[in-house]
Amino acid sequence: MNIQQVGVVGCGLMGSGIGQVCAQSGYQVVVREANSELLAKGTGRIEKFLQAGVEKGKVTEAQKREALSRIRGTTSLDDLAACDLVIEAVTENVELKREVFATLDRICKPEALLASNTSSVCIAEMSGVTKRPSQVLGMHFFNPVPLMKLVEVVRALTTSDATVSAGMGFVRSLGKTPILAKDTPGFVVNLLLVPYLLDAVRALERGVASVEDIDQGMVLGCGYPMGPLTLLDFVGIDTTYYIANILFDEFKETRYAAPTLMKRMVLAGHHGRKTGKGFYDYPGK
Ligand code: CAA
């Protein structure tokens, strides 16, 4: 499959990053948001990231301009009709995702591939509402998308070999490394990462060490780029809580059970960096 034009549904943290890397890799990109305010926020985030890249000497001014010129924003899904591949990156809400896939299936050309960036919803939920289940796959990017090298390509029961191989090739064309995973909760990374993050919260609850010392332990003792509690603030405590609940529902193993403190923080609106408070404070957010 010759992919030239890529559609991205949702221009939040993940969707804007995906749109950006596709444009930087030479693809024509159409990003869709639900309204013009969210669209302006999303495309503004792309501009800001590229500008920061220019200031760090990682991106030239010309590359920035070229990438931005390849991105078209819209609030209508109909504008994705000509795309060869559409990547869905809306919020982790099954009903919303099913609705998006049903609509995309209706408007996109028959040969187009439909991918989901979901980290927690099974791909079968989305492929099941389309008439092209062999052309539906998972394409799970990591945050921050422009910097993280990995993408999990997820094969659902119905995904064809041709779709998997097109997906793997596409990820490589973005300069990223794909790994192939089955359509099971958490795929590879969250299956291993989430229990580790939950254990860090349990360690804090038990008074094993302070927030700072738990983080220092894993940064300096294991060479991780961020400590687990910093990473939780970065990914979103609410997002991790949501994924943990999905893993627990599926496997019924206590290692996936969200700790008491985590639930209380989510209910209190302490979701991490995005709300200005998590395990650390982020004044000004
Ligand atoms: N444009 C281009 N390059 C940029 C850039 C920009 N705007 N901003 C930074 N960079 C480059 C930097 O120049 C640097 O490159 P070099 O290594 O070649 O010098 C590199 O990107 C790292 O940038 P920084 O030095 O500014 O930042 P850092 O070293 O503090 O790293 C980080 C930041 C990449 C976020 C790092 O802390 C990290 O890897 N953290 C862990 C993130 C993680 O685990 N993410 C996964 C979350 S889980 C998830 O997403 C799954 C899910 O489903 C929930």
Side-chain angles (χ1 to χ4, degrees):
M1 161 119 220
N2 184 16
I3 297 172
Q4 290 182 355
Q5 190 169 159
V6 180
V8 182
V9 185
C11 198
L13 203 58
M14 299 303 285
S16 59
I18 295 169
Q20 179 190 324
V21 294
C22 292
Q24 283 184 285
S25 304
Y27 293 100
Q28 293 299 324
V29 179
V30 187
V31 289
R32 187 265 184 185
E33 250 305 351
N35 60 51
S36 40
E37 202 177 300
L38 289 173
L39 185 62
K41 202 169 163 196
T43 50
R45 192 179 297 117
I46 298 176
E47 280 188 51
K48 202 169 146 198
F49 198 95
L50 287 168
Q51 184 54 36
V54 171
E55 279 150 27
K56 283 174 196 271
K58 298 283 171 182
V59 180
T60 66
E61 185 63 39
Q63 285 168 332
K64 179 189 100 179
R65 259 186 282 115
E66 269 171 44
L68 289 174
S69 73
R70 290 193 197 102
I71 301 174
R72 187 159 59 92
T74 179
T75 54
S76 166
L77 277 179
D78 288 336
D79 287 333
L80 274 61
C83 293
D84 306 297
L85 164 69
V86 179
I87 306 172
E88 168 276 314
V90 303
T91 47
E92 293 287 272
N93 173 315
V94 185
E95 284 316 312
L96 177 61
K97 285 183 190 286
R98 286 166 66 88
E99 201 182 302
V100 167
F101 271 75
T103 309
L104 289 173
D105 189 43
R106 216 168 41 243
I107 60 177
C108 291
K109 51 191 184 185
E111 65 274 28
L113 304 182
L114 305 181
S116 175
N117 175 56
T118 185
S119 53
S120 57
V121 176
C122 64
I123 306 303
E125 289 275 10
M126 281 84 80
S127 61
V129 299
T130 73
K131 295 193 177 66
R132 60 180 93 197
S134 66
Q135 289 159 244
V136 177
L137 74 164
M139 224 180 246
H140 181 216
F141 291 76
F142 291 81
N143 183 22
V145 176
L147 302 184
M148 301 304 283
K149 295 281 178 225
L150 183 74
V151 179
E152 291 177 312
V153 172
V154 184
R155 181 203 285 270
L157 281 182
T158 51
T159 313
S160 70
D161 288 346
T163 300
V164 168
S165 112
M168 302 286 276
F170 175 74
V171 168
R172 288 194 192 96
S173 77
L174 301 179
K176 299 204 182 284
T177 302
I179 58 172
L180 184 58
K182 277 206 304 192
D183 186 18
T184 55
F187 311 132
V188 174
V189 173
N190 280 331
L191 186 73
L192 304 182
L193 176 67
V194 171
Y196 156 69
L197 297 177
L198 301 181
D199 277 345
V201 181
R202 284 191 256 275
L204 182 69
E205 278 180 334
R206 287 179 199 142
V208 172
S210 66
V211 169
E212 291 78 8
D213 283 0
I214 290 172
D215 277 349
Q216 287 265 40
M218 297 313 288
V219 172
L220 300 181
C222 293
Y224 287 10
M226 284 178 173
L229 301 172
T230 304
L231 185 55
L232 271 164
D233 277 0
F234 181 73
V235 170
I237 297 165
D238 56 332
T239 306
T240 312
Y241 177 67
Y242 182 79
I243 300 173
N245 285 338
I246 286 181
L247 290 166
F248 185 75
D249 272 357
E250 185 82 22
F251 299 121
K252 309 283 187 293
E253 289 175 22
T254 48
R255 60 202 303 255
Y256 301 111
T260 307
L261 173 63
M262 188 178 213
K263 180 173 177 182
R264 301 307 179 270
M265 290 179 77
V266 172
L267 292 173
H270 297 180
H271 298 176
R273 217 176 264 232
K274 63 187 164 192
T275 59
K277 191 162 180 58
F279 293 101
Y280 298 88
D281 289 336
Y282 303 89
K285 288 269 178 184

